[in-house]
Structures are given as C-alpha cells and as structure tokens.
Amino acid sequence: MNDCNPGPRLCTMAWAKRAADEQGRGQTMAHAVDESKAEHWPALDGLRGTAVLAVLFEHVYQNWDPVVWLRPAHLGVELFFVLSGFLITRVLLNNRPEAVEGGSFRRVLGVFYLRRAIRIFPIYYLTLAVMIALSPWVNGLQGHHLWRLGYLTNFHMALHNTQDTYYGHLWTLAVEEQFYLIWPFVILCLPRRWLLPALLQVIALAPLWRGLASCMGLNELWIRKPFWASVDCLGAGALMALYRWQPEAFRLPSRWTMRMILIMCGLLLIAGLQGRWVEDGQYLTIPFLNREATGQSLVASLTLGTIETPFLVLLVMICISKDESWFKALMCWRPLRQLGKVSYGFYLYHAFCMSFVALGFRILNIPYLSGWGLHAFFVVVFLCSTAAAFLSWRWIEAPFNQMKKRFRYVG
C-alpha cells in the first residue's frame, strides 16, 4: 500500500536529505536564534539617524545646486535598503536551521510576519487614518487611499506618473513591505548552495531593469519606484549577511582586484552623476546616453544606485566590525543613535510636518523658500519631526514592540 503512494515518503526523504546536507556543509548555527537576543550594533542606529537627516536635508534644500547633484535623500533611502537587506536576511538565516532541520518552516514564517507587522503597521495605519480624517479640510490628502493601505504607493506613482506632496515618501515603505513578503521564501526555501548565486542574480536585476526601462522610454518613476528597481541595495545588504553566516561560500578577491573594482565603481559613479547634470541641460549631451523622452540618462539609470551601493555596504561593514574607527565613533554619538532609534517614525512623519509647518509659515507671512527663512524652516521641521517621532516611540511603538516577546522564533 505504501509503495503505491510514495508522495509523502519522497517529500519526507527529500526534506531529510536537505537537512542533512545543511549539516554536512558546516552549518554555522546549530539552532534558531531569537531576534530579541541577537547581536546589536549601536553604530547602525547612528547610520539610520544619518540617513533620515539626509532625506530631510534634501527635501528642504531641494533647489540648492549641491543637493540637486548629490541627491542625499536617494543615498539615505538606499542606505535604509542596504540596512534592511542585511538585518532581515540575518534574522532569516539565523532561524533557517529551525525551519529546515527542525521542520518549523510555518512557525518561523508566521513569527517573522507577525513581528514585522507589530513593528510597522501601528503608526503607519494610524498616520493614514489621521490624514484621511483631515482630508475634507486639507487639499492634497484626498483620494487613492486603497493604494496606500495596501502598501502599493510605489506602483501608484509609477502608473500615474505623479509625486504626491503628502504621501510621496511612502513609496520606500511600500518597497520594504514588498521585500518582507517575498524574501523569507528566498532565504528559507532555496537550497544552501543556491543562496549566493540567487543573491547575485537579484542584485543584477535592478540595473538591468533600469537600463531596459530607460531604453523603452518609460517615465522616471517606472524606472525607480517598482520593488525590483531597488533590489540591488536590498540584495547587497543580504549578501553581507550571507557572508557573515556562510563565509566559506565566498572567494574574496585580492587587494589589487578590490582596488580596481573600487576605482571602476568610482568612475561609473562620476559618469552617473554627470548624467544628472546632462539631464538638467548644463552640459552637451551624448545622444545614446541621454534619453530626452524620459529625462533619465541611460548611464544614470544603469549606475546610480548600484554603483553607490558598495560604498554604503562599506559604511555598514565599518559599523559592525570589531575594529574602532573615527567613523564608527561618530555613528555611536548618542544624539545620532537616539535619532536612529526613532528613524522610522521620523521618516514617516517628516513630510507631513513639512507641509503643516509650511502652512504655518504662510499664515504668519514668513518667507521660507530662501535665505534665513529656509534655514529656520529646516530647524522647525526637524524639531517637529523629532518631537513627533519620540512621542510616537514612547506611547505607540515601544508598547507594541513589547508584544513581540510573545512571538519568539524559538519555542
């Protein structure tokens, strides 16, 4: 009878063989690791604080030429993606033995989603609820709420080729949520030997998409906003986590090769930045490199993001290394770490604070688009965003975070 129905037996044998293969290849973790007890690097909080400051700085000083050229908000967002890729993949890899060897895949997956929801959903949906309640009296808050409720702001922006004044920054949170939905299946389901090739292919997907979309004449939002357009940064962070978990899978290049790679990345980065100036019409254009239909340089589409990523990965590596450095000491500066601790709320609230502070400045007839008024505007927005973030952490996020203790990866 059993020979006539081999399906369950074959599945069990395949799962057991895969678990044995995990052990035979030198599994670095013998059991699952509870996220609450995992290693913590204070300098990473400082990096988060730096990232949100970069985002706010560009959003306030967006018409200043150095800001137009350097795009600090883009760097800040990409740094957030690298950090997310690293930390989320690290949690999944640490609990992969429990999912594969212990047969607790559903438990690990369920706990992962529950802990992410507890951390992210409360203030996100509370903020949307407040904005929807205010929408009858504030222009710009109306409409398209289903896209935001479903974490699809990035696709709404790409499909409609529009940047929302109040909600535009939510596209990055949509990308993160889409990453959380897909990534556990990649890390927990693929065989161990396939993880490195899979991550390398994921990283290559983003520049390939941006180059293809640019050549197809798609608008800039289609080039930049879909989830797969940011997987180079997310994948690079994941690659760093995989290296710490499975170093034997990597063959590190020589120092000479590394120097050449960094030099090439630097040259491509300069070319991409030059592409931004070309888009503004400040230099002569090269027909193949400039796409007038999209306002997006092909060089910029291919390089920016991917070429910046190694430098962002280097910053993260410095912060998690055991060696001391001036940069790590700076990232451990307490005010910066405290800001990083509430960076999620700061990022979520800052655009709304900007809009309402601007309204207040207009009511008081205070100029805020240039000169001292612009600097005062930055200070007030920073203070309001910081206050909102700390209050949010104290009264909403921290209490909800306590609930995560009820859902542990280790039973």
Side-chain angles (χ1 to χ4, degrees):
M1 293 292 291
N2 289 339
D3 291 337
C4 296
N5 187 22
R9 178 192 292 178
L10 290 177
C11 291
T12 303
M13 291 175 61
W15 190 264
K17 182 179 183 299
R18 180 174 163 190
D21 182 62
E22 293 275 353
Q23 287 184 316
R25 289 178 177 271
Q27 183 75 351
T28 58
M29 299 293 294
H31 50 76
V33 176
D34 185 19
E35 185 181 352
S36 63
K37 298 179 181 178
E39 189 177 2
H40 177 70
W41 296 282
L44 293 187
D45 289 333
L47 270 185
R48 293 190 187 94
T50 303
V52 293
L53 282 177
V55 171
L56 177 62
F57 191 83
E58 177 175 332
H59 288 172
V60 173
Y61 294 97
Q62 56 186 312
N63 295 321
W64 189 32
D65 283 346
V67 170
V68 172
W69 192 61
L70 292 173
R71 303 278 181 92
H74 287 249
L75 292 173
V77 167
E78 288 161 5
L79 181 54
F80 273 126
F81 287 157
V82 171
L83 285 169
S84 290
F86 170 65
L87 295 171
I88 294 301
T89 305
R90 173 172 160 267
V91 169
L92 293 171
L93 287 174
N94 285 345
N95 292 282
R96 178 183 163 97
E98 180 73 9
V100 176
E101 299 171 19
S104 300
F105 175 79
R106 290 183 179 179
R107 175 184 174 84
V108 170
L109 191 66
V111 170
F112 173 81
Y113 285 139
L114 279 171
R115 292 175 71 94
R116 287 291 86 202
I118 290 171
R119 177 68 188 97
I120 294 168
F121 287 174
I123 65 170
Y124 179 83
Y125 284 115
L126 178 61
T127 301
L128 288 184
V130 172
M131 294 301 111
I132 292 172
L134 293 176
S135 60
W137 300 280
V138 181
N139 290 330
L141 293 179
Q142 300 86 359
H144 310 298
H145 296 306
L146 289 179
W147 291 90
R148 301 173 194 115
L149 291 171
Y151 277 93
L152 295 170
T153 301
N154 55 335
F155 288 108
H156 173 261
M157 293 170 66
L159 287 169
H160 296 87
N161 193 21
T162 181
Q163 291 269 20
D164 290 332
T165 302
Y166 292 95
Y167 302 106
H169 64 300
L170 299 184
W171 78 270
T172 61
L173 304 182
V175 168
E176 295 259 12
E177 190 64 26
Q178 292 151 22
F179 171 68
Y180 298 150
L181 287 174
I182 296 171
W183 204 240
F185 295 96
V186 175
I187 300 301
L188 299 179
C189 294
L190 287 179
R192 182 185 176 99
R193 65 182 181 277
W194 289 3
L195 288 176
L196 179 58
L199 293 189
L200 294 176
Q201 292 178 52
V202 165
I203 292 171
L205 175 63
L208 287 176
W209 161 256
R210 292 195 295 263
L212 177 64
S214 179
C215 291
M216 291 171 59
L218 299 181
N219 65 67
E220 182 180 356
L221 297 180
W222 259 120
I223 295 172
R224 298 287 179 186
K225 303 307 181 186
F227 160 72
W228 51 82
S230 299
V231 292
D232 47 355
C233 298
L234 292 162
L239 194 66
M240 187 166 32
L242 181 63
Y243 172 70
R244 291 178 60 88
W245 186 75
Q246 188 186 5
E248 68 274 9
F250 291 75
R251 294 180 180 178
L252 295 179
S254 65
R255 289 186 177 182
W256 184 87
T257 305
M258 286 296 296
R259 289 171 184 168
M260 292 303 298
I261 291 173
L262 288 174
I263 290 172
M264 290 301 298
C265 287
L267 292 174
L268 288 171
L269 178 59
I270 293 172
L273 291 172
Q274 190 270 344
R276 285 174 175 162
W277 284 102
V278 168
E279 291 164 18
D280 293 335
Q282 298 189 29
Y283 291 115
L284 294 176
T285 63
I286 303 173
F288 178 66
L289 300 183
N290 189 50
R291 303 289 300 183
E292 292 183 0
T294 64
Q296 188 68 226
S297 163
L298 181 58
V299 173
S301 298
L302 286 169
T303 59
L304 292 176
T306 301
I307 300 303
E308 296 161 358
T309 302
F311 298 101
L312 301 177
V313 169
L314 180 61
L315 297 182
V316 177
M317 291 179 66
I318 292 172
C319 289
I320 65 177
S321 70
K322 295 181 180 179
D323 300 328
E324 297 300 324
S325 65
W326 66 267
F327 181 79
K328 185 177 180 181
L330 177 62
M331 293 299 104
C332 287
W333 185 42
R334 180 166 181 156
L336 204 55
R337 284 194 295 112
Q338 291 297 317
L339 181 61
K341 184 178 179 181
V342 300
S343 58
Y344 173 45
F346 187 102
Y347 181 84
L348 180 59
Y349 303 138
H350 84 278
F352 303 111
C353 290
M354 282 183 61
S355 298
F356 291 119
V357 170
L359 178 62
F361 272 51
R362 287 196 295 270
I363 292 174
L364 296 174
N365 199 25
I366 301 175
Y368 63 94
L369 298 179
S370 62
W372 70 267
L374 181 60
H375 304 317
F377 179 73
F378 175 84
V379 171
V380 175
V381 171
F382 171 77
L383 293 176
C384 290
S385 302
T386 303
F390 275 102
L391 290 173
S392 172
W393 174 261
R394 173 64 179 85
W395 297 107
I396 304 174
E397 295 169 77
F400 271 100
N401 272 356
Q402 293 298 315
M403 295 175 57
K404 292 165 67 174
K405 296 179 180 179
R406 303 178 186 177
F407 308 101
R408 298 183 181 273
Y409 293 101
V410 181

